[in-house]
mmCIF file of all heavy atoms in Angstrom:
data_model
loop_
_atom_site.group_PDB
_atom_site.id
_atom_site.type_symbol
_atom_site.label_atom_id
_atom_site.label_comp_id
_atom_site.label_asym_id
_atom_site.label_seq_id
_atom_site.Cartn_x
_atom_site.Cartn_y
_atom_site.Cartn_z
ATOM 1 N N GLY B 225 -8.093 14.615 -15.989
ATOM 2 C CA GLY B 225 -9.276 14.590 -16.995
ATOM 3 C C GLY B 225 -9.400 13.295 -17.564
ATOM 4 O O GLY B 225 -10.508 12.973 -18.183
ATOM 5 N N SER B 226 -8.355 12.365 -17.547
ATOM 6 C CA SER B 226 -8.444 11.172 -18.120
ATOM 7 C C SER B 226 -8.125 9.925 -17.167
ATOM 8 O O SER B 226 -8.795 8.927 -17.293
ATOM 9 C CB SER B 226 -7.372 10.862 -19.255
ATOM 10 O OG SER B 226 -7.519 11.947 -20.225
ATOM 11 N N CYS B 227 -7.320 10.259 -16.181
ATOM 12 C CA CYS B 227 -6.914 9.039 -15.266
ATOM 13 C C CYS B 227 -8.053 8.603 -14.363
ATOM 14 O O CYS B 227 -8.922 9.397 -14.090
ATOM 15 C CB CYS B 227 -5.769 9.416 -14.457
ATOM 16 S SG CYS B 227 -5.944 10.700 -13.245
ATOM 17 N N GLN B 228 -8.076 7.366 -14.051
ATOM 18 C CA GLN B 228 -9.170 6.730 -13.140
ATOM 19 C C GLN B 228 -8.564 6.543 -11.742
ATOM 20 O O GLN B 228 -7.463 6.202 -11.689
ATOM 21 C CB GLN B 228 -9.706 5.534 -13.813
ATOM 22 C CG GLN B 228 -10.321 5.679 -15.182
ATOM 23 C CD GLN B 228 -10.688 4.380 -15.832
ATOM 24 O OE1 GLN B 228 -10.695 3.350 -15.217
ATOM 25 N NE2 GLN B 228 -11.026 4.548 -17.134
ATOM 26 N N ILE B 229 -9.489 6.609 -10.761
ATOM 27 C CA ILE B 229 -9.031 6.396 -9.434
ATOM 28 C C ILE B 229 -8.377 4.998 -9.206
ATOM 29 O O ILE B 229 -7.514 4.826 -8.416
ATOM 30 C CB ILE B 229 -10.079 6.735 -8.413
ATOM 31 C CG1 ILE B 229 -9.668 6.806 -6.945
ATOM 32 C CG2 ILE B 229 -11.296 5.831 -8.562
ATOM 33 C CD1 ILE B 229 -8.673 7.921 -6.623
ATOM 34 N N GLY B 230 -8.975 4.074 -9.897
ATOM 35 C CA GLY B 230 -8.430 2.641 -9.731
ATOM 36 C C GLY B 230 -6.955 2.656 -10.167
ATOM 37 O O GLY B 230 -6.068 2.089 -9.568
ATOM 38 N N GLY B 231 -6.648 3.302 -11.286
ATOM 39 C CA GLY B 231 -5.308 3.428 -11.849
ATOM 40 C C GLY B 231 -4.395 4.305 -11.003
ATOM 41 O O GLY B 231 -3.233 3.860 -10.686
ATOM 42 N N ASN B 232 -4.989 5.356 -10.383
ATOM 43 C CA ASN B 232 -4.175 6.137 -9.476
ATOM 44 C C ASN B 232 -3.734 5.223 -8.309
ATOM 45 O O ASN B 232 -2.596 5.337 -7.856
ATOM 46 C CB ASN B 232 -5.009 7.304 -8.890
ATOM 47 C CG ASN B 232 -5.526 8.281 -9.850
ATOM 48 O OD1 ASN B 232 -6.578 8.890 -9.702
ATOM 49 N ND2 ASN B 232 -4.716 8.462 -10.945
ATOM 50 N N ILE B 233 -4.626 4.487 -7.781
ATOM 51 C CA ILE B 233 -4.239 3.681 -6.616
ATOM 52 C C ILE B 233 -3.351 2.517 -7.019
ATOM 53 O O ILE B 233 -2.337 2.223 -6.206
ATOM 54 C CB ILE B 233 -5.615 3.040 -5.919
ATOM 55 C CG1 ILE B 233 -6.186 4.318 -5.226
ATOM 56 C CG2 ILE B 233 -5.324 1.868 -5.083
ATOM 57 C CD1 ILE B 233 -7.582 4.212 -4.807
ATOM 58 N N SER B 234 -3.600 1.894 -8.189
ATOM 59 C CA SER B 234 -2.746 0.813 -8.575
ATOM 60 C C SER B 234 -1.257 1.371 -8.925
ATOM 61 O O SER B 234 -0.350 0.503 -8.834
ATOM 62 C CB SER B 234 -3.316 0.144 -9.944
ATOM 63 O OG SER B 234 -4.608 -0.373 -9.565
ATOM 64 N N THR B 235 -1.173 2.677 -9.133
ATOM 65 C CA THR B 235 0.201 3.066 -9.375
ATOM 66 C C THR B 235 0.674 3.916 -8.300
ATOM 67 O O THR B 235 1.729 4.589 -8.327
ATOM 68 C CB THR B 235 0.182 3.996 -10.679
ATOM 69 O OG1 THR B 235 -0.772 5.027 -10.568
ATOM 70 C CG2 THR B 235 -0.036 3.122 -11.959
ATOM 71 N N ASN B 236 -0.153 4.085 -7.212
ATOM 72 C CA ASN B 236 0.235 4.830 -6.049
ATOM 73 C C ASN B 236 0.652 6.221 -6.509
ATOM 74 O O ASN B 236 1.757 6.812 -6.167
ATOM 75 C CB ASN B 236 1.416 4.199 -5.245
ATOM 76 C CG ASN B 236 1.610 4.946 -3.891
ATOM 77 O OD1 ASN B 236 0.731 5.516 -3.309
ATOM 78 N ND2 ASN B 236 2.815 4.924 -3.469
ATOM 79 N N ALA B 237 -0.221 6.852 -7.317
ATOM 80 C CA ALA B 237 -0.001 8.189 -7.813
ATOM 81 C C ALA B 237 0.378 9.223 -6.698
ATOM 82 O O ALA B 237 -0.227 9.298 -5.680
ATOM 83 C CB ALA B 237 -1.131 8.639 -8.639
ATOM 84 N N GLY B 238 1.403 10.072 -7.089
ATOM 85 C CA GLY B 238 1.779 11.139 -6.103
ATOM 86 C C GLY B 238 1.038 12.372 -6.337
ATOM 87 O O GLY B 238 0.074 12.687 -5.598
ATOM 88 N N GLY B 239 1.514 13.194 -7.280
ATOM 89 C CA GLY B 239 0.850 14.308 -7.624
ATOM 90 C C GLY B 239 1.050 15.592 -6.769
ATOM 91 O O GLY B 239 2.145 15.609 -6.042
ATOM 92 N N LEU B 240 0.242 16.631 -6.916
ATOM 93 C CA LEU B 240 0.550 17.857 -6.439
ATOM 94 C C LEU B 240 0.301 18.141 -4.951
ATOM 95 O O LEU B 240 0.751 19.165 -4.450
ATOM 96 C CB LEU B 240 -0.257 18.962 -7.269
ATOM 97 C CG LEU B 240 -0.113 18.871 -8.813
ATOM 98 C CD1 LEU B 240 -1.210 19.670 -9.457
ATOM 99 C CD2 LEU B 240 1.222 19.293 -9.172
ATOM 100 N N ARG B 241 -0.456 17.251 -4.433
ATOM 101 C CA ARG B 241 -0.870 17.520 -3.037
ATOM 102 C C ARG B 241 -0.191 16.609 -1.983
ATOM 103 O O ARG B 241 -0.570 16.630 -0.791
ATOM 104 C CB ARG B 241 -2.309 17.367 -2.792
ATOM 105 C CG ARG B 241 -3.106 18.418 -3.445
ATOM 106 C CD ARG B 241 -4.675 18.248 -3.333
ATOM 107 N NE ARG B 241 -5.301 19.324 -4.016
ATOM 108 C CZ ARG B 241 -6.556 19.275 -4.566
ATOM 109 N NH1 ARG B 241 -7.216 18.171 -4.492
ATOM 110 N NH2 ARG B 241 -7.135 20.318 -5.128
ATOM 111 N N LEU B 242 0.790 15.905 -2.385
ATOM 112 C CA LEU B 242 1.547 14.912 -1.421
ATOM 113 C C LEU B 242 2.117 15.499 -0.265
ATOM 114 O O LEU B 242 1.990 14.958 0.794
ATOM 115 C CB LEU B 242 2.397 14.016 -2.276
ATOM 116 C CG LEU B 242 2.924 12.701 -1.546
ATOM 117 C CD1 LEU B 242 2.763 11.539 -2.425
ATOM 118 C CD2 LEU B 242 4.279 12.879 -0.983
ATOM 119 N N VAL B 243 2.789 16.658 -0.527
ATOM 120 C CA VAL B 243 3.455 17.407 0.618
ATOM 121 C C VAL B 243 2.480 17.685 1.743
ATOM 122 O O VAL B 243 2.906 17.645 2.895
ATOM 123 C CB VAL B 243 4.231 18.516 0.125
ATOM 124 C CG1 VAL B 243 3.309 19.719 -0.273
ATOM 125 C CG2 VAL B 243 5.242 18.957 1.107
ATOM 126 N N ARG B 244 1.265 17.864 1.386
ATOM 127 C CA ARG B 244 0.319 18.284 2.382
ATOM 128 C C ARG B 244 -0.547 17.020 2.924
ATOM 129 O O ARG B 244 -0.729 16.898 4.116
ATOM 130 C CB ARG B 244 -0.727 19.274 1.868
ATOM 131 C CG ARG B 244 -1.864 19.693 2.742
ATOM 132 C CD ARG B 244 -1.385 20.555 3.923
ATOM 133 N NE ARG B 244 -2.516 21.145 4.536
ATOM 134 C CZ ARG B 244 -3.013 22.377 4.300
ATOM 135 N NH1 ARG B 244 -2.378 23.085 3.425
ATOM 136 N NH2 ARG B 244 -3.944 22.831 4.935
ATOM 137 N N TYR B 245 -1.074 16.318 1.979
ATOM 138 C CA TYR B 245 -1.946 15.294 2.431
ATOM 139 C C TYR B 245 -1.337 13.841 2.405
ATOM 140 O O TYR B 245 -1.999 12.870 2.806
ATOM 141 C CB TYR B 245 -3.235 15.195 1.492
ATOM 142 C CG TYR B 245 -3.995 16.564 1.635
ATOM 143 C CD1 TYR B 245 -4.055 17.478 0.552
ATOM 144 C CD2 TYR B 245 -4.577 16.991 2.759
ATOM 145 C CE1 TYR B 245 -4.641 18.797 0.735
ATOM 146 C CE2 TYR B 245 -5.201 18.151 2.949
ATOM 147 C CZ TYR B 245 -5.210 19.124 1.851
ATOM 148 O OH TYR B 245 -5.836 20.277 1.914
#
Side-chain angles (χ1 to χ4, degrees):
Chain B
S226 305
C227 67
Q228 297 173 11
I229 188 67
N232 296 150
I233 282 159
S234 298
T235 56
N236 189 29
L240 304 169
R241 290 178 179 151
L242 192 132
V243 71
R244 175 67 165 270
Y245 299 110

